Structure formats: structure tokens, C-alpha cells
Amino acid sequence: QVQLVESGGGLVQAGGSLTLSCAASGRTLRIAAMGWFRQAPGKEREFVAAIRWSGGGPEYADSVKGRFTISRHNAQNRVSLQMNSLKPEDTAAYFCALKGLGTTTFGSWGQGTQVTVSS
């Protein structure tokens, strides 16, 4: 069973920065990709960014391109999300997700970490 533990959320002023981190663990951990999603109050969960574990470029939602950077740390089974130039509309619970090898969807999820951007 895969476990994902997020850290790094918090309260920041608009224009500020935060870095989220997510560590994956499990006996049969075989990662195809890891990513971040977010959910604001009253809204559906939406894709933020993702990165393949074996190489290839990252993917970003249009709303965060140029402001957020996703990075993988293969040896640590960890992914981070550097968030710059934060806006109030970035306020949401951020969830780490993992796609295992041989699967087509993100099937493992973290508990989420809250990011609040004040204006």
C-alpha cells in the first residue's frame, strides 16, 4: 500500500512563495508519475502539475505556468512544488498524487495540505 505525506502548506501574502513537498513510501513502490492537485472550497479538484518518474518534461495547468515548478527527487521518492508569485485564487487544499507503473490514473492520494494566500 502506498502512503503519501505532504508538508509545506501555510499562510502567505499575495506575491509570496511556498514550497510543498510530498514523500511516498510503500513496500511495492513503483512510480510512473507524481503530481499535485488542488481543491478550493465549493469547487472541484483540479490538476496543478505532474512529472514522470523516468524522464520527460513536467506538465502544468495553464493557471500556474510560469509561477509553479514541480521537481522530482527519485532517490527519496519525493516530489516538490515550488510556488512563486502566489495569488489569492491559489488558495486551496493541495493534494499529492501518485500514478503507479502499469496504471493510467493517479490512484494514490495524500491527505492534503492547506495553502492560503491573503490579498
Side-chain angles (χ1 to χ4, degrees), residues 6-55:
E6 302 109 331
S7 61
L11 173 64
V12 64
Q13 289 187 333
S17 300
L18 280 175
T19 300
L20 305 182
S21 183
C22 174
S25 63
R27 285 189 175 183
T28 58
L29 193 61
R30 299 174 66 195
I31 304 171
M34 292 186 73
W36 292 93
F37 292 73
R38 67 186 182 187
Q39 187 168 18
K43 295 187 177 181
E44 294 186 354
R45 189 172 296 187
E46 65 176 4
F47 170 77
V48 176
I51 190 165
R52 295 180 182 85
W53 223 240
S54 60

Side-chain angles (χ1 to χ4, degrees), residues 5-12 17-22 36 81 83 86 90-95 112-117:
V5 178
E6 302 109 331
S7 61
L11 173 64
V12 64
S17 300
L18 280 175
T19 300
L20 305 182
S21 183
C22 174
W36 292 93
L81 185 69
M83 305 184 293
L86 283 161
D90 294 318
T91 295
Y94 283 71
F95 297 88
T113 185
Q114 180 66 35
V115 172
T116 302
V117 185

Side-chain angles (χ1 to χ4, degrees), residues 35-111:
W36 292 93
F37 292 73
R38 67 186 182 187
Q39 187 168 18
K43 295 187 177 181
E44 294 186 354
R45 189 172 296 187
E46 65 176 4
F47 170 77
V48 176
I51 190 165
R52 295 180 182 85
W53 223 240
S54 60
E59 299 176 15
Y60 297 97
D62 288 342
S63 58
V64 306
K65 280 181 182 177
R67 299 188 299 122
F68 291 11
T69 302
I70 188 170
S71 301
R72 64 175 183 268
H73 310 276
N74 294 56
Q76 302 166 348
N77 293 325
R78 184 171 64 85
V79 64
S80 59
L81 185 69
Q82 174 69 41
M83 305 184 293
N84 298 327
S85 302
L86 283 161
K87 305 175 181 180
E89 50 264 43
D90 294 318
T91 295
Y94 283 71
F95 297 88
C96 175
L98 182 149
K99 183 185 300 183
L101 286 174
T103 67
T104 58
T105 61
F106 286 95
S108 298
W109 295 83
Q111 293 297 308

